[in-house]
Amino acid sequence: MTRIPGPPPLNGLRKRIADHRAASSGGGKGHFVRETYCLTRDEARAKAREWFDTFPKAAYWTEVESWRQLDGDQIEFTMRRLPSAD
């Protein structure tokens, strides 16, 4: 009887995918700087205002990328900006 070969090994493909993900997610030029905070509502407002004052939206594209309200008046949010204003 003729033996049917199994599927080819996927080690090479796995390595290429991992290399691509590492290269595209690493700190290359043009990527945004992100920081996530979990603060009370008043502290969250103050921290966001600090970011907008330090990194003006027009130059750094600063924005609140995402946010959610947690129990106990806590806000979890992510701030995003460009690394430099070139």
Side-chain angles (χ1 to χ4, degrees), residues 6-38:
L10 299 176
N11 294 337
L13 178 60
R14 286 186 186 116
K15 182 180 180 336
R16 287 181 54 202
I17 291 172
D19 290 346
H20 175 73
R21 287 181 179 164
S24 64
S25 67
K29 291 184 178 180
H31 292 278
F32 286 99
V33 174
R34 292 177 174 86
E35 287 193 41
T36 301
Y37 301 95
C38 186

Side-chain angles (χ1 to χ4, degrees), residues 9 58 60-61 67 75 84:
Y60 291 91
W61 295 2
W67 67 276
I75 306 292
S84 67

Side-chain angles (χ1 to χ4, degrees), residues 2 4 9 11-12 17 21 35 50-52 56-57 59-60 64 66 76-77 80 83:
T2 306
I4 300 174
N11 294 337
I17 291 172
R21 287 181 179 164
E35 287 193 41
E50 178 185 323
W51 267 65
F52 285 114
K57 184 175 180 99
Y60 291 91
V64 178
S66 64
E76 181 182 69
F77 63 102
R80 178 184 88 171

